[in-house]
């Protein structure tokens, strides 16, 4: 007997809103498979090639793009990011929940292609709170923090846009309390 088709879950949100923590919690579920994106950005300390991202030189990324290997792709902060096409098809066919963590422009491409799934935007409670969280992380200087805050403001505005008359995201969750946010996503996925 064939497994019932799995479900796509798209998670987006600005840097510092908590989406990576939400994804980390969802990955603990055995039925969840996480999409490993390709990117041209430099590897950060602690990241592993093939696990956190497929780190590619720009010409390699562009060749794959020309070969239509990505389901969606976007430029973010000067670097290219893309979701490889095949893992999703295979995971959904196996009945897995396929988790994709991408930014807003890529999400729009998935919606425009009519790809079904649960689309979730994790928002900070406020811009001031986001700035505080980024400062607390201590991994960016003041200029970078303000740059991220500006990108976040654009992303929050874009998250409320419509695609063909329908909301881009099924739900926009304000992450005040991480555990509560994780429980809210889990409840939507496995009611
Ligand atoms: P970072 O460089 O901080 O890991 O990611 C920067 C942004 O790129 C985040 O918003 C992240 O969700 C997004 N991103 C990561 N992979 C992809 C991808 O494959 N496609 C798109 N559109 N965005 C991605």
């Amino acid at each position: 007997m064939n497994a019932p088709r799995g479900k796509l879950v798209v998670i987006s949100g600005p840097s510092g809103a908590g989406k990576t923590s939400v994804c980390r919690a969802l990955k603990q579920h055995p039925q969840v498979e996480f999409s490993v994106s390709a990117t041209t950005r430099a590897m950060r300390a602690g990241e592993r090639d093939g696990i956190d991202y497929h780190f590619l030189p720009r010409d390699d990324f562009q060749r794959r793009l020309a070969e239509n290997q990505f389901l969606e792709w976007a430029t973010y902060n000067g670097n290219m990011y893309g979701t490889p096409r095949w893992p999703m098809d295979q995971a959904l066919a196996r009945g897995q929940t396929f988790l994709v963590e991408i930014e807003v422009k890529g999400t729009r491409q998935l919606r425009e292609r009519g790809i079904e799934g649960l689309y979730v935007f994790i928002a900070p409670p406020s811009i001031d709170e986001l700035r505080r969280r980024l400062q607390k992380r201590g991994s960016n200087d003041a200029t970078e923090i303000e740059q991220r805050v500006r990108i976040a403001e654009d992303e929050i505005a874009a998250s409320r846009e419509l695609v063909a008359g329908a909301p881009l995201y099924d739900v926009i969750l304000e992450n005040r309390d991480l555990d509560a946010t994780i429980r809210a996503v889990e409840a939507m996925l496995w009611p």
Side-chain angles (χ1 to χ4, degrees):
M1 204 176 75
N2 289 337
R5 205 169 153 74
K7 184 164 194 170
L8 170 71
V9 190
V10 177
I11 306 257
S12 306
S15 164
K19 69 170 184 287
T20 306
S21 305
V22 172
C23 289
R24 200 177 296 135
L26 294 177
K27 281 184 219 172
Q28 303 305 314
H29 294 265
Q31 70 270 46
V32 172
E33 186 173 320
F34 186 64
S35 170
V36 180
S37 293
T39 182
T40 62
R41 85 150 159 73
M43 205 187 291
R44 294 185 190 133
E47 286 183 327
R48 287 155 303 169
D49 190 23
I51 293 174
D52 299 291
Y53 281 104
H54 300 289
F55 294 94
L56 301 179
R58 193 165 273 258
D59 56 352
D60 192 353
F61 190 104
Q62 273 163 338
R63 180 184 56 77
R64 289 167 195 254
L65 188 58
E67 289 172 0
N68 200 22
Q69 286 191 23
F70 299 121
L71 191 62
E72 61 70 36
W73 74 281
T75 300
Y76 180 95
N77 217 4
N79 297 305
M80 300 168 89
Y81 295 82
T83 304
R85 194 179 283 281
W86 316 119
M88 180 177 93
D89 295 337
Q90 289 164 1
L92 296 185
R94 281 199 306 272
Q96 297 278 108
T97 299
F98 194 68
L99 176 62
V100 179
E101 186 199 315
I102 59 174
E103 51 68 78
V104 178
K105 287 171 286 192
T107 305
R108 178 172 274 277
Q109 291 166 37
L110 297 183
R111 277 290 199 209
E112 283 168 351
R113 286 183 201 154
I115 294 181
E116 281 179 26
L118 176 69
Y119 289 63
V120 181
F121 188 86
I122 309 286
S126 68
I127 287 294
D128 284 344
E129 173 60 20
L130 181 77
R131 189 179 282 112
R132 268 195 296 278
R133 288 183 191 173
L134 291 171
Q135 285 164 345
K136 218 168 112 189
R137 267 191 196 174
S139 50
N140 304 100
D141 65 29
T143 318
E144 276 168 358
I145 288 175
E146 284 317 306
Q147 195 183 356
R148 278 171 189 256
V149 167
R150 269 198 305 279
I151 294 175
E153 285 172 325
D154 288 347
E155 289 182 302
I156 292 165
S159 73
R160 302 199 181 107
E161 287 174 8
L162 301 179
V163 179
L168 180 54
Y169 290 94
D170 297 303
V171 59
I172 297 180
L173 289 176
E174 275 184 16
N175 181 24
R176 294 174 194 284
D177 174 83
L178 183 60
D179 288 337
T181 303
I182 292 166
R183 279 198 301 275
V185 179
E186 287 173 341
M188 283 183 281
L189 276 176
W190 303 294

